[in-house]
């Protein structure tokens, strides 16, 4: 079943074509990695799906429903959440409060007197943080965290919204190499358990080959290749254009 | 601070205000005005939590004061006039808020200032209606149906002010810990994220804005009822600046801050004006400078630090 379907998306900033006819179907339950050089339009795609940018042409359907023109706030209600390349945390709040605020956003925000950290929400926030192995830092203020913890908290907030589809912009960028795999392992375990479909932008090919069901290769606002990591990541053109490795086959093809 | 500690502190503070007003009768009026301003400053504190500074909240204070002045002849009852004035202030707060909540930072501050100055000009220029700079005298009002002597009336207003301060203080304390209050301070650091979580940031700010206008309205009504004379000076931009001044002086970290700041401000002003008539503003300016440089948590922050240090020693 197709959960998200993009057809003919186009968006240009001045002369730069950030999206130049993007067609992509995201299957329910899959982990789809987006790779490609900087400036290829990967984040633009996420921004269009989450309502931050409006495509100049093309359509996006989610669960059969057209999305273009809806505000980010509406899209969250439909079950689309996102995390950010630069984690967007509420810096004056603790980690638990950040997650609890996401729960509040989902469950009912408009209470001026009942506490945010009421027992049910507190318990749910603790549960989510435990899944992400963040229990130890639940009471730390968000502005005191290291990059890895900030990334995971950012994603935990998106997961707390109980989305069906999550779009993650470079979940491992800025994270120490030694932490990367363990962070993604945690992430994948949580998302698989919750049955969330994930689209994520990633530069680390090791992460992509280990965790993605399919890979979409972005190049100059277009999808240059799409398929399982085993096939795409061995494609000589992809190796040359995206990863920057010249292979003999690729050399011959060029 | 724990709920219990806050309760004890509230009772002590109320007892202090009542005792001082009993021991030094003429301070009763000063205390009432201070608490009334504290109510408006409590609204400023809410907006500060969202990272927004309004340089125009005297608009709501003066609006409510004028509502009292206009309506007192027809409804000479404090317990009706005050809520009426506050509701009018909140309603105008809603209208203005729909507009200003679209703006942030300096634009938010300046728009509030501009609108309050428009109101000031109207009060000043429409002499036929407002009596301009002469102002309007507020006729004698009854309290719960009883016409009190001036002395009794001043006690009644002080106690009413205290009740409102405790009530709104408790409410704002809960509000800040609620989802709406948390979203308000989240708006300060990452407004865009709120939208991506499904939280309408503008409505969060608007709610706080209307609440702040309502509280400023209560404060303005109390001022009109206590001074029994309203003038456009209540709406002048320096009156708005004064509210921000008190917020910084008292500290935005706690709901006690605005009232502590307002009492300190009014008492300093009263005594300093008597002792060094020409220099009291300089004294206040110096105090503010010292607070900003050395105690960004305001007087409340200083007091708290002293208590913590005392416990550790």
């Amino acid at each position: 079943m197709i959960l998200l379907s993009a057809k003919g998306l186009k968006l240009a900033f001045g002369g730069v074509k950030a999206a130049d006819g993007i067609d992509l179907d995201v299957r329910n339950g899959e982990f789809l990695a987006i790779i490609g050089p900087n400036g290829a339009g990967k984040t633009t795609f996420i921004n269009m799906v989450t309502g931050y940018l409006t495509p100049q042409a093309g359509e996006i359907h989610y669960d059969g429903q057209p999305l273009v023109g809806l505000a980010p706030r509406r899209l969250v209600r439909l079950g689309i959440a996102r995390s950010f390349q630069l984690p967007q945390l509420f810096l004056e709040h603790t980690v638990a409060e950040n997650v609890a605020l996401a729960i509040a956003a989902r469950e009912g925000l408009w209470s001026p007197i009942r506490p945010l950290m009421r027992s049910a929400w507190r318990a749910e926030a603790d549960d989510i943080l435990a899944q992400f192995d963040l229990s130890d830092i639940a009471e730390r203020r968000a502005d005191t965290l290291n990059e890895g913890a900030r990334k995971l908290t950012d994603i935990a907030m998106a997961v707390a919204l109980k989305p069906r589809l999550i779009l993650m912009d470079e979940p491992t960028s800025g994270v120490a190499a030694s932490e990367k795999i363990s962070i993604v392992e945690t992430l994948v375990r949580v998302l698989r358990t919750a049955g969330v479909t994930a689209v994520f932008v990633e530069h680390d090919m090791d992460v992509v080959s280990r965790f993605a069901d399919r890979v979409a290769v972005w190049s100059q606002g277009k999808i240059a290749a799409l398929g399982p990591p085993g096939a795409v990541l061995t494609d000589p053109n992809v190796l040359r254009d995206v990863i920057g490795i010249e292979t003999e086959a690729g050399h011959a093809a060029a | 601070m724990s709920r219990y500690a806050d309760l004890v502190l509230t009772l002590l503070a109320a007892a202090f205000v009542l005792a001082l007003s009993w021991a030094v009768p003429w301070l009763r009026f000063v205390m009432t005005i201070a608490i009334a301003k504290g109510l408006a400053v409590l609204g400023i504190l809410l907006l500060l939590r969202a990272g927004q500074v309004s340089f125009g909240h005297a608009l709501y204070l003066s609006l409510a004061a004028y509502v009292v002045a206009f309506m007192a002849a027809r409804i000479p009852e404090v317990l009706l006039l005050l809520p009426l004035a506050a509701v009018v202030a909140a309603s105008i707060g809603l209208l203005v808020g729909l507009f200003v909540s679209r703006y942030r930072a300096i634009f938010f501050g300046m728009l509030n200032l501009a609108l309050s100055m428009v109101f000031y000009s109207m009060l000043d220029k429409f002499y036929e209606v407002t009596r301009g700079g002469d102002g309007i005298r507020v006729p004698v009002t009854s309290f719960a149906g009883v016409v009190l002597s001036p002395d009794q009336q001043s006690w009644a207003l002080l106690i009413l002010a205290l009740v409102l301060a405790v009530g709104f203080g408790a409410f704002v304390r809960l509000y800040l810990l609620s989802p709406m209050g948390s979203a308000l301070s989240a708006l300060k650091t990452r407004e865009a994220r709120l939208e991506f979580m499904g939280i309408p940031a503008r409505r969060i700010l608007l709610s706080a804005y209307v609440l702040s206008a309502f509280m400023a309205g209560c404060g303005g009504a109390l001022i009109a009822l206590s001074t029994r004379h309203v003038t456009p000076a209540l709406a002048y931009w320096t009156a708005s600046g004064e509210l921000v001044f008190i917020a910084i002086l008292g500290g935005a970290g706690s709901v006690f801050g605005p009232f502590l700041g307002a009492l300190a401000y009014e008492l300093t002003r009263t005594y300093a004006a008597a002792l060094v008539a020409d220099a009291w503003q300089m004294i206040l300016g110096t105090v503010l400078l010292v607070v900003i440089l050395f105690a960004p948590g305001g007087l409340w922050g200083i007091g708290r630090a002293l208590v913590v240090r005392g416990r550790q020693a």
Side-chain angles (χ1 to χ4, degrees):
Chain A
M1 183 199 138
I2 304 299
L3 184 62
L4 183 85
S5 168
K7 281 200 175 52
L9 291 185
K10 288 191 180 182
L11 182 60
F13 301 107
V16 181
K17 289 175 178 172
D20 190 14
I22 297 286
D23 296 307
L24 181 66
D25 286 340
V26 179
R27 298 169 190 157
N28 197 20
E30 77 170 334
F31 276 43
L32 177 79
I34 296 178
I35 63 173
N38 288 328
K42 306 184 297 293
T43 300
T44 300
F45 176 72
I46 289 188
N47 283 338
M48 287 191 291
V49 173
T50 53
Y52 186 67
L53 293 174
T54 307
Q56 288 153 342
E59 292 175 358
I60 307 173
H61 283 84
Y62 167 80
D63 212 10
Q65 187 178 344
L67 288 191
V68 172
L70 296 185
R73 230 188 308 144
R74 295 283 308 281
L75 298 174
V76 176
R77 299 249 173 271
L78 296 175
I80 302 175
R82 73 170 292 180
S83 69
F84 297 81
Q85 185 180 355
L86 298 172
Q88 300 285 304
L89 308 182
F90 304 122
L91 299 175
E92 294 181 355
H93 291 66
T94 65
V95 170
E97 284 168 347
N98 269 275
V99 175
L101 199 50
I103 297 170
R106 187 193 80 209
E107 290 287 321
L109 178 76
W110 300 102
S111 161
I113 48 172
R114 289 189 67 198
L116 173 72
M117 299 310 267
R118 64 190 72 169
S119 51
W121 292 0
R122 169 87 236 194
E124 189 183 339
D126 284 343
D127 182 47
I128 291 169
L129 291 173
Q131 291 174 41
F132 280 95
D133 296 328
L134 293 173
S135 300
D136 293 346
I137 57 162
E139 299 309 321
R140 290 255 305 270
R141 256 174 68 128
D143 55 2
T144 65
L145 306 178
N146 67 26
E147 190 64 14
R150 278 152 49 90
K151 285 276 186 191
L152 280 180
T153 305
D154 192 64
I155 296 165
M157 288 163 74
V159 168
L161 297 167
K162 290 205 175 153
R164 283 179 68 197
L165 170 67
I166 186 168
L167 297 105
M168 297 179 285
D169 199 353
E170 303 199 23
T172 67
S173 72
V175 175
S178 55
E179 280 185 273
K180 249 181 201 175
I181 294 296
S182 78
I183 281 185
V184 181
E185 270 172 355
T186 307
L187 186 58
V188 169
R189 185 183 49 185
V190 175
L191 294 177
R192 292 258 190 231
T193 310
V196 180
T197 306
V199 174
F200 62 104
V201 172
E202 183 55 66
H203 283 296
D204 189 313
M205 293 307 136
D206 194 24
V207 169
V208 172
S209 60
R210 281 173 71 166
F211 299 102
D213 299 316
R214 286 197 301 157
V215 184
V217 183
W218 245 249
S219 177
Q220 295 177 339
K222 291 191 167 93
I223 296 181
L226 176 67
V232 171
L233 297 180
T234 51
D235 180 337
N237 293 325
V238 172
L239 286 174
R240 188 190 61 234
D241 295 340
V242 180
I243 311 174
I245 302 174
E246 284 286 348
T247 59
E248 282 181 24
H251 204 67
Chain B
M1 286 240 298
S2 74
R3 204 183 299 176
Y4 179 72
D6 278 1
L7 184 67
V8 170
L9 195 60
T10 305
L11 292 175
L12 284 176
F16 169 77
V17 167
L18 289 173
L20 198 61
S21 305
W22 179 74
V24 191
W26 62 271
L27 275 182
R28 210 177 301 150
F29 172 75
V30 177
M31 297 281 185
T32 309
I33 299 296
I35 296 171
K37 284 186 183 168
L39 286 170
V41 177
L42 201 53
I44 300 284
L45 173 139
L46 272 184
L47 299 174
L48 280 175
R49 285 295 171 105
Q52 308 305 318
V53 186
S54 165
F55 286 109
H57 256 51
L59 165 63
Y60 304 109
L61 192 139
S62 57
L63 178 65
Y66 269 85
V67 168
V68 167
F70 279 121
M71 298 305 290
R74 263 172 254 174
I75 314 172
E77 166 57 50
V78 171
L79 296 183
L80 293 175
L81 277 173
L82 185 129
L84 173 72
V87 167
V88 170
S91 308
I92 298 300
L94 176 63
L95 272 181
V96 172
L98 283 168
F99 171 58
V100 298
S101 65
R102 304 164 76 93
Y103 298 88
R104 297 290 175 269
I106 189 73
F107 304 104
F108 178 87
M110 288 297 122
L111 272 174
N112 275 290
L113 178 84
L115 289 165
S116 74
M117 285 308 288
V118 168
F119 186 61
Y120 167 80
S121 306
M122 285 164 61
L123 294 176
D124 197 40
K125 303 294 177 199
F126 294 144
Y127 188 87
E128 295 299 317
V129 185
T130 65
R131 314 295 308 272
D134 298 342
I136 305 175
R137 245 195 110 57
V138 179
V140 176
T141 48
S142 63
F143 195 99
V146 185
V147 178
L148 304 169
S149 70
D151 193 51
Q152 289 168 329
Q153 179 84 347
S154 68
W155 273 115
L157 287 174
L158 175 64
I159 290 166
L160 179 62
L162 272 174
V163 167
L164 286 171
V166 173
F168 279 117
F171 180 74
V172 169
R173 189 183 182 280
L174 288 173
Y175 188 92
L176 291 175
L177 294 172
S178 77
M180 287 175 79
S182 296
L184 193 64
S185 49
L187 192 150
K188 179 178 168 184
T189 49
R190 289 277 184 256
E191 180 167 351
R193 179 62 184 257
L194 286 178
E195 294 287 332
F196 282 104
M197 286 175 22
I199 299 177
R202 216 189 285 164
R203 248 178 273 167
I204 290 286
L205 182 59
L206 178 63
S207 309
Y209 191 85
V210 173
L211 176 58
S212 74
F214 187 72
M215 293 190 294
C218 288
L222 279 172
I223 288 174
L225 290 163
S226 298
T227 57
R228 299 207 30 227
H229 186 219
V230 296
T231 68
L234 285 170
Y236 199 55
W237 66 271
T238 51
S240 294
E242 191 180 88
L243 299 177
V244 177
F245 181 110
I246 294 172
I248 307 290
L249 181 70
S254 157
V255 293
F256 288 106
F259 298 104
L260 185 63
L263 281 171
Y265 178 83
E266 288 298 325
L267 287 174
T268 309
R269 188 160 87 155
T270 307
Y271 281 102
L275 293 173
V276 274
D278 298 328
W280 72 270
Q281 281 142 323
M282 198 172 81
I283 293 174
L284 276 174
T286 311
V287 170
L288 186 69
L289 207 63
V290 169
V291 164
I292 289 174
L293 288 176
F294 301 107
L299 294 176
W300 171 254
I302 295 176
R304 214 182 128 129
L306 288 175
V307 169
V308 170
R309 202 178 300 168
R311 270 194 205 146
Q312 284 168 348

